[in-house]
Amino acid sequence: MEQANARTKMAGSMRNMRDHAVILNRRFLDDEQLIRSEQLAVLEEIFNTNVRDREMREISCHFAPVLRRDHPYHLALWGKSGTGKTLTMIYFLNFLAEMCRKEGIALRYVHLDLTTARPCFRALNDLACLLNASKRYRRGISLEELMGRIEASLEAYRGYLVLFIDEVDNVRRDRDTFLAFLVRRLPQQIRAKLILVFASNRLNWSDHLDPRTKSFLKLNELVFKPYDAIDLQRILQIRVRKALRPQAVENGVVEKIAALASREHGDARKAVALLARSAHLAEKAGCSISVDTVDEAARQIEQDKYTTMIRTAPVQLQAALAGIIEGVRTKRADLVGSGEAYDAYRAFCTRASLRPLTGRAFGDLVTELDMYSFLRTRVESKGRYGRTREIVLDIPDGLASTIYNTILLNFDVSQQASD
DNA sequence: TGTCCACAGGAAATACGGGGGT
DNA sequence: ACCCCCGTATTTCCTGTGGACA
């Protein structure tokens, strides 16, 4: 009896889920799950709706000389993240490669993605890997050696070589070494016709460049403006069509997401992420996506941003933040001085059996937390009583506890006594 | 006006860890 | 197995500083 009852319940809820399903094809909500051809298909649709039309035309013009066996300049793409620099360029390069194949022109392209910051060494190493010039090293091999290997592997190649360097300004430290290699040395060492494409989200990117390199670099520049609400609506509509059951998306939802996204950042990736989160929420609740769902999803995304950031941060940074949160709590004020904060941090370290860092190092951790906007600081002089950096937690309401608990999980410490 | 607190934050020194060469 | 190299994390050392107080 019991069992039969359970079965009908399960069947019922499954049928219910099917009929009220919000998501029909989950994969189209997450680019990482799409295989190459599907990605290109999505792009095809996007570009067919005239989004990024102007940029596409300019890029085509820029590369037109290739078809005449001529050598175009290098190209720089400027625009904030999520404005489609990468996608547009990849889509175009794919198209160009195909065109060249038909015309019998040799063309290779390589996409070096520096989305996460890395030093010159790793950037070069990654490039070498992409060119099959070397295996992956962590350390221990000289820059010179890497450069040599890259050159050697291209020795015999005579065709066009497009190096698409995504997010160039993420090369930390000796960016000049890296760029000098690409811009000045490489073209002289190999016979391939090298075309560099840089993407960056800072307009003044090339200002801090070694002037010698800069003068060597003949650039065409192209600016990607952030998507406006209309563009975003088009992009979102495609996703809705491919991934969701259309009836499950209430009126105004797409418009709302597009409006939020265009107001805040104009970032298409984030807009799609918001759509995806809304869809998941609605599906779990067994209802359709409403404007309120979107609000809730936006809140969750905001919150996740903080928790994942702190969870994946180095332990000392976590300890510093935990210490500061405790310090603020015990003081029952929203503001602590750096001295008190340091004491609290040391206390936390003791309980977590973690070796505490010096005050100097702690200061740097605080600066870092400030940059991630977990908190705000301001140096304040208290006259005779010295000077201090006042620390104010800058975390949305009620999130402090969540974050604090997240950190505790990572440490496995006893709760603070006075809580 | 000078003193002096309690730190900030720059520079250089040192420790560390992981990897290649031999 | 041993040594050297390199990039990164911390420490050590240091100079600087706004303003309350005497």
Side-chain angles (χ1 to χ4, degrees), chain A residues 310-368:
Chain A
I310 199 66
R311 198 172 34 222
T312 57
V315 279
Q316 286 292 357
L317 200 67
Q318 298 186 26
L321 184 54
I324 291 170
I325 292 177
E326 287 183 358
V328 169
R329 278 186 187 170
T330 47
K331 208 185 161 201
R332 292 176 191 286
D334 51 355
L335 174 154
V336 279
S338 44
E340 302 161 294
Y342 183 58
D343 291 342
Y345 156 79
R346 290 191 65 117
F348 179 84
C349 283
T350 314
R351 276 187 296 130
S353 47
L354 182 75
R355 191 176 55 84
L357 298 179
T358 8
R360 180 67 185 83
F362 178 73
D364 285 345
L365 291 179
V366 172
T367 311
E368 207 173 333

Short mmCIF file of all heavy atoms in Angstrom, two decimals, chain A residues 310-368:
data_model
loop_
_atom_site.label_atom_id
_atom_site.label_comp_id
_atom_site.label_asym_id
_atom_site.label_seq_id
_atom_site.Cartn_x
_atom_site.Cartn_y
_atom_site.Cartn_z
N ILE A 310 35.41 34.48 -1.41
CA ILE A 310 36.14 34.27 -0.17
C ILE A 310 36.50 32.80 0.02
O ILE A 310 37.54 32.48 0.56
CB ILE A 310 35.35 34.80 1.06
CG1 ILE A 310 36.29 34.99 2.24
CG2 ILE A 310 34.22 33.87 1.46
CD1 ILE A 310 37.32 36.06 2.03
N ARG A 311 35.65 31.91 -0.49
CA ARG A 311 35.94 30.50 -0.30
C ARG A 311 37.18 30.08 -1.06
O ARG A 311 37.94 29.22 -0.64
CB ARG A 311 34.74 29.66 -0.73
CG ARG A 311 34.77 28.25 -0.18
CD ARG A 311 33.49 27.52 -0.47
NE ARG A 311 32.93 27.91 -1.75
CZ ARG A 311 31.65 28.14 -1.96
NH1 ARG A 311 30.81 28.04 -0.97
NH2 ARG A 311 31.22 28.48 -3.15
N THR A 312 37.38 30.70 -2.20
CA THR A 312 38.53 30.30 -3.02
C THR A 312 39.75 31.16 -2.76
O THR A 312 40.76 30.99 -3.41
CB THR A 312 38.17 30.39 -4.51
OG1 THR A 312 37.74 31.73 -4.79
CG2 THR A 312 37.07 29.43 -4.86
N ALA A 313 39.64 32.09 -1.82
CA ALA A 313 40.77 32.98 -1.53
C ALA A 313 41.81 32.24 -0.69
O ALA A 313 41.52 31.22 -0.08
CB ALA A 313 40.28 34.21 -0.79
N PRO A 314 43.04 32.76 -0.68
CA PRO A 314 44.09 32.16 0.17
C PRO A 314 43.67 32.16 1.63
O PRO A 314 42.93 33.04 2.07
CB PRO A 314 45.28 33.10 -0.03
CG PRO A 314 45.02 33.85 -1.27
CD PRO A 314 43.55 33.89 -1.44
N VAL A 315 44.16 31.18 2.38
CA VAL A 315 43.72 31.03 3.77
C VAL A 315 43.96 32.29 4.61
O VAL A 315 43.13 32.66 5.42
CB VAL A 315 44.41 29.85 4.49
CG1 VAL A 315 43.75 28.56 4.13
CG2 VAL A 315 45.88 29.84 4.19
N GLN A 316 45.10 32.91 4.42
CA GLN A 316 45.40 34.07 5.25
C GLN A 316 44.38 35.19 5.02
O GLN A 316 44.00 35.89 5.94
CB GLN A 316 46.81 34.58 4.98
CG GLN A 316 47.90 33.71 5.55
CD GLN A 316 47.93 33.73 7.07
OE1 GLN A 316 47.16 34.44 7.72
NE2 GLN A 316 48.80 32.93 7.64
N LEU A 317 43.95 35.32 3.78
CA LEU A 317 42.97 36.36 3.49
C LEU A 317 41.65 36.02 4.18
O LEU A 317 40.98 36.89 4.75
CB LEU A 317 42.76 36.45 1.98
CG LEU A 317 42.15 37.76 1.49
CD1 LEU A 317 43.10 38.90 1.72
CD2 LEU A 317 41.78 37.65 0.03
N GLN A 318 41.29 34.76 4.15
CA GLN A 318 40.07 34.33 4.83
C GLN A 318 40.18 34.59 6.32
O GLN A 318 39.25 35.09 6.95
CB GLN A 318 39.84 32.83 4.60
CG GLN A 318 39.64 32.49 3.15
CD GLN A 318 39.26 31.03 2.97
OE1 GLN A 318 38.71 30.40 3.86
NE2 GLN A 318 39.57 30.49 1.80
N ALA A 319 41.32 34.24 6.88
CA ALA A 319 41.51 34.42 8.31
C ALA A 319 41.41 35.90 8.66
O ALA A 319 40.79 36.28 9.66
CB ALA A 319 42.88 33.88 8.73
N ALA A 320 42.00 36.73 7.82
CA ALA A 320 41.95 38.17 8.09
C ALA A 320 40.51 38.65 8.13
O ALA A 320 40.10 39.37 9.05
CB ALA A 320 42.73 38.92 7.01
N LEU A 321 39.72 38.23 7.16
CA LEU A 321 38.33 38.69 7.12
C LEU A 321 37.55 38.15 8.31
O LEU A 321 36.80 38.88 8.96
CB LEU A 321 37.67 38.25 5.81
CG LEU A 321 36.24 38.75 5.62
CD1 LEU A 321 36.17 40.25 5.76
CD2 LEU A 321 35.69 38.32 4.27
N ALA A 322 37.77 36.87 8.63
CA ALA A 322 37.08 36.29 9.78
C ALA A 322 37.44 37.07 11.04
O ALA A 322 36.58 37.41 11.85
CB ALA A 322 37.47 34.83 9.93
N GLY A 323 38.73 37.37 11.19
CA GLY A 323 39.18 38.11 12.35
C GLY A 323 38.49 39.46 12.43
O GLY A 323 38.01 39.87 13.49
N ILE A 324 38.43 40.13 11.31
CA ILE A 324 37.82 41.46 11.31
C ILE A 324 36.34 41.38 11.64
O ILE A 324 35.83 42.17 12.43
CB ILE A 324 38.02 42.13 9.94
CG1 ILE A 324 39.51 42.47 9.74
CG2 ILE A 324 37.18 43.40 9.83
CD1 ILE A 324 39.87 42.91 8.36
N ILE A 325 35.66 40.38 11.09
CA ILE A 325 34.23 40.24 11.40
C ILE A 325 34.05 40.02 12.90
O ILE A 325 33.20 40.64 13.54
CB ILE A 325 33.61 39.07 10.60
CG1 ILE A 325 33.57 39.42 9.12
CG2 ILE A 325 32.20 38.77 11.10
CD1 ILE A 325 33.04 38.33 8.22
N GLU A 326 34.90 39.16 13.47
CA GLU A 326 34.81 38.94 14.91
C GLU A 326 35.10 40.23 15.67
O GLU A 326 34.43 40.55 16.66
CB GLU A 326 35.81 37.87 15.34
CG GLU A 326 35.38 36.48 14.92
CD GLU A 326 36.34 35.42 15.41
OE1 GLU A 326 37.36 35.76 16.04
OE2 GLU A 326 36.07 34.23 15.14
N GLY A 327 36.10 40.93 15.20
CA GLY A 327 36.46 42.18 15.87
C GLY A 327 35.29 43.14 15.89
O GLY A 327 34.98 43.74 16.92
N VAL A 328 34.62 43.26 14.75
CA VAL A 328 33.47 44.16 14.67
C VAL A 328 32.37 43.70 15.62
O VAL A 328 31.74 44.49 16.29
CB VAL A 328 32.94 44.22 13.22
CG1 VAL A 328 31.62 44.93 13.16
CG2 VAL A 328 33.96 44.92 12.33
N ARG A 329 32.17 42.39 15.67
CA ARG A 329 31.11 41.86 16.52
C ARG A 329 31.37 42.12 18.00
O ARG A 329 30.49 42.59 18.72
CB ARG A 329 31.00 40.35 16.33
CG ARG A 329 30.20 39.99 15.12
CD ARG A 329 30.03 38.50 15.11
NE ARG A 329 29.40 38.07 13.88
CZ ARG A 329 29.32 36.80 13.53
NH1 ARG A 329 29.84 35.88 14.30
NH2 ARG A 329 28.72 36.47 12.42
N THR A 330 32.57 41.79 18.43
CA THR A 330 32.84 41.93 19.86
C THR A 330 32.80 43.40 20.27
O THR A 330 32.44 43.73 21.38
CB THR A 330 34.21 41.34 20.23
OG1 THR A 330 35.17 41.81 19.29
CG2 THR A 330 34.17 39.84 20.23
N LYS A 331 33.16 44.25 19.35
CA LYS A 331 33.17 45.66 19.69
C LYS A 331 31.77 46.26 19.60
O LYS A 331 31.50 47.35 20.09
CB LYS A 331 34.10 46.40 18.73
CG LYS A 331 34.71 47.65 19.34
CD LYS A 331 35.53 48.40 18.32
CE LYS A 331 35.74 49.83 18.79
NZ LYS A 331 36.08 50.72 17.69
N ARG A 332 30.89 45.54 18.93
CA ARG A 332 29.51 45.99 18.75
C ARG A 332 29.45 47.39 18.14
O ARG A 332 28.65 48.22 18.52
CB ARG A 332 28.74 45.98 20.06
CG ARG A 332 28.53 44.57 20.55
CD ARG A 332 27.87 44.52 21.90
NE ARG A 332 27.94 43.16 22.42
CZ ARG A 332 27.19 42.16 21.96
NH1 ARG A 332 26.34 42.35 21.00
NH2 ARG A 332 27.32 40.95 22.48
N ALA A 333 30.36 47.64 17.24
CA ALA A 333 30.32 48.89 16.48
C ALA A 333 30.54 48.48 15.04
O ALA A 333 30.90 47.34 14.78
CB ALA A 333 31.41 49.83 16.95
N ASP A 334 30.33 49.38 14.10
CA ASP A 334 30.53 48.95 12.72
C ASP A 334 31.92 49.32 12.22
O ASP A 334 32.19 49.29 11.04
CB ASP A 334 29.45 49.55 11.81
CG ASP A 334 29.33 51.04 12.01
OD1 ASP A 334 30.01 51.57 12.92
OD2 ASP A 334 28.56 51.67 11.28
N LEU A 335 32.77 49.66 13.17
CA LEU A 335 34.06 50.19 12.75
C LEU A 335 35.16 49.72 13.70
O LEU A 335 34.99 49.78 14.91
CB LEU A 335 33.91 51.71 12.76
CG LEU A 335 35.05 52.66 12.52
CD1 LEU A 335 34.46 53.94 11.99
CD2 LEU A 335 35.81 52.93 13.81
N VAL A 336 36.25 49.21 13.16
CA VAL A 336 37.38 48.85 14.01
C VAL A 336 38.64 49.53 13.50
O VAL A 336 38.78 49.78 12.31
CB VAL A 336 37.65 47.33 14.04
CG1 VAL A 336 36.72 46.64 14.98
CG2 VAL A 336 37.57 46.76 12.66
N GLY A 337 39.56 49.78 14.39
CA GLY A 337 40.86 50.31 14.00
C GLY A 337 41.76 49.16 13.61
O GLY A 337 41.47 48.01 13.94
N SER A 338 42.85 49.46 12.92
CA SER A 338 43.68 48.37 12.43
C SER A 338 44.34 47.61 13.57
O SER A 338 44.56 46.41 13.45
CB SER A 338 44.73 48.93 11.47
OG SER A 338 45.29 50.10 11.99
N GLY A 339 44.65 48.28 14.66
CA GLY A 339 45.25 47.61 15.80
C GLY A 339 44.34 46.55 16.38
O GLY A 339 44.70 45.39 16.51
N GLU A 340 43.11 46.96 16.64
CA GLU A 340 42.13 46.01 17.19
C GLU A 340 41.90 44.88 16.22
O GLU A 340 41.81 43.71 16.61
CB GLU A 340 40.79 46.73 17.42
CG GLU A 340 40.87 47.90 18.35
CD GLU A 340 39.66 48.82 18.17
OE1 GLU A 340 39.54 49.43 17.09
OE2 GLU A 340 38.87 48.89 19.10
N ALA A 341 41.80 45.24 14.95
CA ALA A 341 41.56 44.23 13.93
C ALA A 341 42.68 43.21 13.95
O ALA A 341 42.44 42.00 13.88
CB ALA A 341 41.45 44.88 12.56
N TYR A 342 43.88 43.70 14.08
CA TYR A 342 45.02 42.78 14.08
C TYR A 342 44.97 41.85 15.28
O TYR A 342 45.23 40.66 15.15
CB TYR A 342 46.34 43.56 14.06
CG TYR A 342 47.55 42.68 13.99
CD1 TYR A 342 47.72 41.79 12.93
CD2 TYR A 342 48.53 42.73 14.98
CE1 TYR A 342 48.83 40.97 12.87
CE2 TYR A 342 49.64 41.91 14.92
CZ TYR A 342 49.79 41.02 13.87
OH TYR A 342 50.88 40.21 13.80
N ASP A 343 44.63 42.39 16.44
CA ASP A 343 44.49 41.55 17.63
C ASP A 343 43.46 40.46 17.40
O ASP A 343 43.69 39.29 17.69
CB ASP A 343 44.08 42.40 18.84
CG ASP A 343 45.21 43.33 19.26
OD1 ASP A 343 46.37 43.07 18.85
OD2 ASP A 343 44.95 44.31 19.97
N ALA A 344 42.31 40.87 16.86
CA ALA A 344 41.23 39.92 16.62
C ALA A 344 41.70 38.84 15.65
O ALA A 344 41.43 37.64 15.84
CB ALA A 344 40.01 40.63 16.05
N TYR A 345 42.44 39.28 14.65
CA TYR A 345 42.96 38.33 13.66
C TYR A 345 43.89 37.32 14.31
O TYR A 345 43.81 36.13 14.05
CB TYR A 345 43.65 39.11 12.55
CG TYR A 345 44.69 38.34 11.77
CD1 TYR A 345 44.31 37.45 10.79
CD2 TYR A 345 46.05 38.52 12.04
CE1 TYR A 345 45.27 36.74 10.07
CE2 TYR A 345 47.00 37.83 11.34
CZ TYR A 345 46.62 36.94 10.37
OH TYR A 345 47.56 36.24 9.68
N ARG A 346 44.76 37.83 15.18
CA ARG A 346 45.69 36.92 15.86
C ARG A 346 44.94 35.92 16.71
O ARG A 346 45.28 34.74 16.75
CB ARG A 346 46.67 37.71 16.73
CG ARG A 346 47.66 38.52 15.94
CD ARG A 346 48.74 39.04 16.85
NE ARG A 346 49.50 37.93 17.38
CZ ARG A 346 50.80 37.74 17.13
NH1 ARG A 346 51.45 38.61 16.38
NH2 ARG A 346 51.44 36.72 17.64
N ALA A 347 43.90 36.42 17.39
CA ALA A 347 43.10 35.53 18.23
C ALA A 347 42.48 34.43 17.36
O ALA A 347 42.51 33.25 17.71
CB ALA A 347 42.01 36.32 18.94
N PHE A 348 41.96 34.85 16.22
CA PHE A 348 41.35 33.87 15.33
C PHE A 348 42.37 32.84 14.88
O PHE A 348 42.11 31.65 14.86
CB PHE A 348 40.74 34.58 14.11
CG PHE A 348 40.11 33.63 13.13
CD1 PHE A 348 38.80 33.20 13.33
CD2 PHE A 348 40.82 33.17 12.05
CE1 PHE A 348 38.23 32.31 12.44
CE2 PHE A 348 40.25 32.28 11.16
CZ PHE A 348 38.95 31.85 11.36
N CYS A 349 43.56 33.32 14.52
CA CYS A 349 44.61 32.41 14.07
C CYS A 349 44.94 31.38 15.14
O CYS A 349 45.11 30.20 14.84
CB CYS A 349 45.87 33.19 13.71
SG CYS A 349 45.76 34.01 12.13
N THR A 350 45.00 31.83 16.38
CA THR A 350 45.32 30.90 17.45
C THR A 350 44.28 29.79 17.50
O THR A 350 44.61 28.61 17.57
CB THR A 350 45.33 31.64 18.80
OG1 THR A 350 46.08 32.85 18.63
CG2 THR A 350 45.96 30.79 19.87
N ARG A 351 43.00 30.20 17.44
CA ARG A 351 41.96 29.18 17.52
C ARG A 351 41.97 28.27 16.32
O ARG A 351 41.62 27.11 16.40
CB ARG A 351 40.59 29.85 17.66
CG ARG A 351 40.28 30.20 19.10
CD ARG A 351 38.87 30.70 19.22
NE ARG A 351 38.72 31.94 18.49
CZ ARG A 351 37.74 32.15 17.62
NH1 ARG A 351 36.85 31.24 17.39
NH2 ARG A 351 37.67 33.30 16.99
N ALA A 352 42.37 28.82 15.18
CA ALA A 352 42.38 28.01 13.97
C ALA A 352 43.71 27.30 13.79
O ALA A 352 43.95 26.68 12.76
CB ALA A 352 42.08 28.89 12.76
N SER A 353 44.55 27.39 14.78
CA SER A 353 45.93 26.88 14.72
C SER A 353 46.58 27.20 13.38
O SER A 353 47.03 26.35 12.64
CB SER A 353 45.99 25.38 15.01
OG SER A 353 45.01 24.67 14.29
N LEU A 354 46.60 28.49 13.12
CA LEU A 354 47.23 29.01 11.91
C LEU A 354 48.29 30.00 12.34
O LEU A 354 48.05 30.78 13.26
CB LEU A 354 46.17 29.72 11.05
CG LEU A 354 46.60 30.29 9.72
CD1 LEU A 354 46.77 29.18 8.71
CD2 LEU A 354 45.56 31.29 9.22
N ARG A 355 49.44 29.95 11.72
CA ARG A 355 50.50 30.86 12.12
C ARG A 355 50.13 32.28 11.68
O ARG A 355 49.91 32.51 10.50
CB ARG A 355 51.81 30.47 11.47
CG ARG A 355 53.02 31.19 12.03
CD ARG A 355 54.28 30.65 11.37
NE ARG A 355 54.22 30.74 9.91
CZ ARG A 355 54.54 31.83 9.23
NH1 ARG A 355 54.92 32.92 9.86
NH2 ARG A 355 54.46 31.84 7.91
N PRO A 356 50.01 33.20 12.64
CA PRO A 356 49.62 34.56 12.26
C PRO A 356 50.75 35.30 11.54
O PRO A 356 51.92 35.08 11.83
CB PRO A 356 49.28 35.22 13.59
CG PRO A 356 50.00 34.44 14.62
CD PRO A 356 50.20 33.06 14.09
N LEU A 357 50.39 36.16 10.63
CA LEU A 357 51.39 36.95 9.92
C LEU A 357 51.71 38.21 10.72
O LEU A 357 51.02 38.56 11.67
CB LEU A 357 50.84 37.35 8.55
CG LEU A 357 50.51 36.21 7.60
CD1 LEU A 357 49.96 36.77 6.31
CD2 LEU A 357 51.72 35.36 7.33
N THR A 358 52.73 38.90 10.28
CA THR A 358 53.11 40.16 10.93
C THR A 358 52.06 41.23 10.69
O THR A 358 51.24 41.13 9.78
CB THR A 358 54.40 40.72 10.31
OG1 THR A 358 54.74 39.96 9.19
CG2 THR A 358 55.50 40.79 11.31
N GLY A 359 52.15 42.25 11.49
CA GLY A 359 51.22 43.37 11.30
C GLY A 359 51.34 43.96 9.91
O GLY A 359 50.35 44.32 9.28
N ARG A 360 52.54 44.03 9.44
CA ARG A 360 52.77 44.58 8.10
C ARG A 360 52.01 43.79 7.04
O ARG A 360 51.31 44.35 6.19
CB ARG A 360 54.27 44.58 7.80
CG ARG A 360 54.63 45.12 6.46
CD ARG A 360 54.32 46.60 6.42
NE ARG A 360 54.56 47.14 5.10
CZ ARG A 360 53.70 47.07 4.12
NH1 ARG A 360 52.55 46.44 4.31
NH2 ARG A 360 53.96 47.60 2.95
N ALA A 361 52.17 42.49 7.11
CA ALA A 361 51.51 41.64 6.12
C ALA A 361 49.99 41.72 6.27
O ALA A 361 49.26 41.73 5.28
CB ALA A 361 51.98 40.20 6.28
N PHE A 362 49.55 41.81 7.52
CA PHE A 362 48.11 41.92 7.76
C PHE A 362 47.56 43.18 7.09
O PHE A 362 46.48 43.16 6.51
CB PHE A 362 47.85 41.96 9.27
CG PHE A 362 46.40 42.12 9.62
CD1 PHE A 362 45.52 41.07 9.46
CD2 PHE A 362 45.92 43.34 10.10
CE1 PHE A 362 44.18 41.22 9.79
CE2 PHE A 362 44.59 43.50 10.42
CZ PHE A 362 43.72 42.42 10.26
N GLY A 363 48.34 44.25 7.18
CA GLY A 363 47.93 45.48 6.52
C GLY A 363 47.68 45.27 5.03
O GLY A 363 46.70 45.76 4.47
N ASP A 364 48.55 44.51 4.41
CA ASP A 364 48.37 44.24 2.98
C ASP A 364 47.11 43.42 2.72
O ASP A 364 46.43 43.62 1.72
CB ASP A 364 49.60 43.52 2.42
CG ASP A 364 50.77 44.47 2.26
OD1 ASP A 364 50.54 45.69 2.29
OD2 ASP A 364 51.91 44.00 2.10
N LEU A 365 46.84 42.49 3.63
CA LEU A 365 45.63 41.69 3.47
C LEU A 365 44.40 42.59 3.53
O LEU A 365 43.45 42.42 2.76
CB LEU A 365 45.54 40.62 4.57
CG LEU A 365 46.56 39.50 4.48
CD1 LEU A 365 46.38 38.53 5.64
CD2 LEU A 365 46.44 38.75 3.17
N VAL A 366 44.44 43.54 4.46
CA VAL A 366 43.31 44.47 4.58
C VAL A 366 43.14 45.26 3.28
O VAL A 366 42.04 45.44 2.78
CB VAL A 366 43.51 45.42 5.77
CG1 VAL A 366 42.43 46.49 5.77
CG2 VAL A 366 43.48 44.65 7.07
N THR A 367 44.26 45.71 2.74
CA THR A 367 44.19 46.43 1.47
C THR A 367 43.54 45.57 0.39
O THR A 367 42.72 46.04 -0.40
CB THR A 367 45.61 46.82 1.00
OG1 THR A 367 46.30 47.42 2.09
CG2 THR A 367 45.55 47.76 -0.17
N GLU A 368 43.90 44.30 0.39
CA GLU A 368 43.36 43.41 -0.61
C GLU A 368 41.85 43.24 -0.43
O GLU A 368 41.08 43.27 -1.39
CB GLU A 368 44.07 42.06 -0.52
CG GLU A 368 44.07 41.32 -1.84
CD GLU A 368 44.92 40.07 -1.75
OE1 GLU A 368 45.86 40.06 -0.93
OE2 GLU A 368 44.63 39.12 -2.50
#
